[in-house]
Amino acid sequence: MASELTFIMVKPDGVQRGLTGEIISRFERRGFKLVNLKMVHASKEHIEKHYEDLAGKPFYPGLVKYMSSGPVVAMCWAGKDVVKQGRILLGATNPLASSPGTIRGDYAIDVGRNICHGSDAVESAKKELELWFGQEAAGIQYERAIDQWVYEN
Ligand code: IDP
Ligand code: MG
């Protein structure tokens, strides 16, 4: 069975607004498998590394401040096509452009308070999982009895 991994994070506003369970539920109900999770209050330096590709953007200082302002919930999810499907579940970067039914489209308004993060490609997922989980980047290995009801093969 395909076991792609992605890095999904509930941002500080998502944690403060009590949306952690809701975000986890949406991935669980879809059939994806949670293989790692931790709460972290990340340092400014850690966030700068996570968003290094955006350094130089006008919103970057505010983004680093926002993301290091409180704890986040860092997760590793596994499943078929989970990187792309995870992004679809989250919705567009700007919640005003996110469809209702997506996480951002249902719970957020401003792009600078868009409550969740998801890796945008398999390669960036690998990098982000290594940054946030280090040696445990591959997640916890376990079998799920329901997988025969989620996947045909
Ligand atoms: P993504 O989170 O959908 O992958 P990116 O373009 O990688 O979007 O941007 C990372 C994060 O930076 C966004 O989720 C959002 O929190 C923030 N961001 C992006 N564009 C803006 C902006 O124009 N103003 C404020 N914050 C922004
Ligand atoms: Mg991104």
Side-chain angles (χ1 to χ4, degrees), residues 7 9 12 38-50 64-74 131-132:
F7 177 66
M9 170 167 52
K38 66 176 174 184
M39 184 172 248
V40 192
H41 190 156
S43 66
K44 217 167 147 274
E45 292 68 32
H46 188 87
I47 297 298
E48 282 167 356
K49 185 104 191 87
H50 174 78
V64 172
K65 191 173 173 206
Y66 154 54
M67 290 298 298
S68 56
S69 67
V72 300
V73 175
L131 175 66
W132 288 85

Side-chain angles (χ1 to χ4, degrees), residues 11 51 54 59 63 66-67 87 91-94 104 111-114 116-120:
K11 294 180 174 181
Y51 282 126
L54 298 175
F59 58 83
L63 174 63
Y66 154 54
M67 290 298 298
R87 296 276 295 186
T93 302
N94 186 341
R104 288 165 174 163
V111 66
R113 295 289 184 272
N114 62 359
C116 49
H117 166 83
S119 308
D120 61 8

Side-chain angles (χ1 to χ4, degrees), residues 15-148:
V15 170
Q16 291 294 329
R17 293 179 54 196
L19 293 170
T20 303
E22 175 66 26
I23 292 168
I24 291 174
S25 275
R26 289 183 179 220
F27 280 82
E28 279 186 328
R29 287 184 306 206
R30 181 72 187 278
F32 292 123
K33 178 176 165 183
L34 183 61
V35 296
N36 224 337
L37 174 148
K38 66 176 174 184
M39 184 172 248
V40 192
H41 190 156
S43 66
K44 217 167 147 274
E45 292 68 32
H46 188 87
I47 297 298
E48 282 167 356
K49 185 104 191 87
H50 174 78
Y51 282 126
E52 65 186 358
D53 294 351
L54 298 175
K57 298 273 186 197
F59 58 83
Y60 184 74
L63 174 63
V64 172
K65 191 173 173 206
Y66 154 54
M67 290 298 298
S68 56
S69 67
V72 300
V73 175
M75 296 177 272
C76 179
W77 285 88
K80 189 187 279 182
D81 202 31
V82 71
V83 172
K84 188 173 113 202
Q85 298 305 321
R87 296 276 295 186
I88 294 169
L89 285 173
L90 300 189
T93 302
N94 186 341
L96 294 182
S98 301
S99 304
T102 65
I103 293 166
R104 288 165 174 163
D106 285 348
Y107 298 110
I109 296 172
D110 265 0
V111 66
R113 295 289 184 272
N114 62 359
I115 72 172
C116 49
H117 166 83
S119 308
D120 61 8
V122 172
E123 265 315 296
S124 47
K126 193 167 178 286
K127 228 175 114 187
E128 291 171 3
L129 288 167
E130 277 165 16
L131 175 66
W132 288 85
F133 289 106
Q135 293 197 333
E136 286 155 41
I140 306 294
Q141 308 297 308
Y142 67 102
E143 294 296 320
R144 274 195 328 184
I146 63 148
D147 274 343
Q148 63 178 311

